[in-house]
Amino acid sequence: MDTNATGVLLELKGISLAKTAEGVLEVDKSSSGREVNTNDTAIVIRTAARQQFVIEFPYGMRVRLNAQSTLRYPLTQGDSTHVFIEGEELIDIPSQLFGGVMVIQTDNGKISSDYGKFELASYAQFTRAAVSHGEVCFRSEIKQKAAASMFG
């Protein structure tokens, strides 16, 4: 991605990705009718070494994606906002602005929250969340994967 570009960077299947003059990436519904037809199922944002992006989703929810991290935003969303994350992030979900639940899938667990601010470190070996305020529900899938590999 061109780090100097601003405005709408991408429109896929009713979702737009735009960059503000302040450098914030905004994910929102697209209404321009200029969407590209594609077989892609998600928008993938990766940061390089010493690079960060702030991604703003509808309702004011923000994710700061730290260096060498990946965020995958499925183009099809339901009542909740779903993202898949690997690496280190700071997530901020303002309670007065957000209308649903944020669901974050990692390699070894699932985190959900409807408000709060928390840091997340997610790698193949572990997922760790440190909550500043709010409520976060974490569901580990490590035992289920181990059991599946033992019996499968």
Side-chain angles (χ1 to χ4, degrees), residues 8-149:
V8 175
L9 305 174
L10 177 69
E11 291 181 297
L12 295 172
K13 296 184 180 177
I15 303 292
S16 71
L17 179 67
K19 185 175 178 190
T20 68
E22 295 80 26
V24 174
L25 296 176
E26 294 179 334
V27 176
D28 209 345
K29 292 182 181 176
S30 173
S31 59
S32 73
R34 296 177 296 177
E35 292 88 6
V36 174
N37 288 326
T38 180
N39 292 329
D40 291 337
T41 59
I43 295 173
V44 179
I45 301 169
R46 290 186 178 92
T47 53
R50 298 185 312 228
Q51 182 182 37
Q52 293 182 342
F53 276 124
V54 173
I55 304 149
E56 186 170 304
F57 295 91
Y59 310 107
M61 181 189 66
R62 285 183 162 217
V63 174
R64 185 185 74 207
L65 198 61
N66 284 341
Q68 297 179 313
S69 298
T70 301
L71 181 141
R72 199 164 58 87
Y73 181 81
L75 295 174
T76 304
Q77 295 283 329
D79 293 338
S80 302
T81 300
H82 290 260
V83 295
F84 299 84
I85 288 181
E86 181 179 331
E88 297 179 3
E89 300 78 22
L90 175 64
I91 295 136
D92 189 4
I93 307 168
S95 60
Q96 71 276 16
L97 297 176
F98 193 67
V101 174
M102 171 75 166
V103 179
I104 302 163
Q105 181 72 46
T106 68
D107 279 343
N108 48 36
K110 188 179 288 188
I111 296 102
S112 60
S113 179
D114 61 353
Y115 76 97
K117 188 173 188 174
F118 54 98
E119 294 179 34
L120 183 64
S122 172
Y123 299 98
Q125 305 83 358
F126 70 90
T127 297
R128 180 185 69 230
V131 181
S132 295
H133 71 273
E135 294 182 7
V136 174
C137 178
F138 181 76
R139 179 173 173 249
S140 174
E141 296 178 358
I142 294 174
K143 288 183 181 179
Q144 293 166 342
K145 285 183 181 179
S149 65

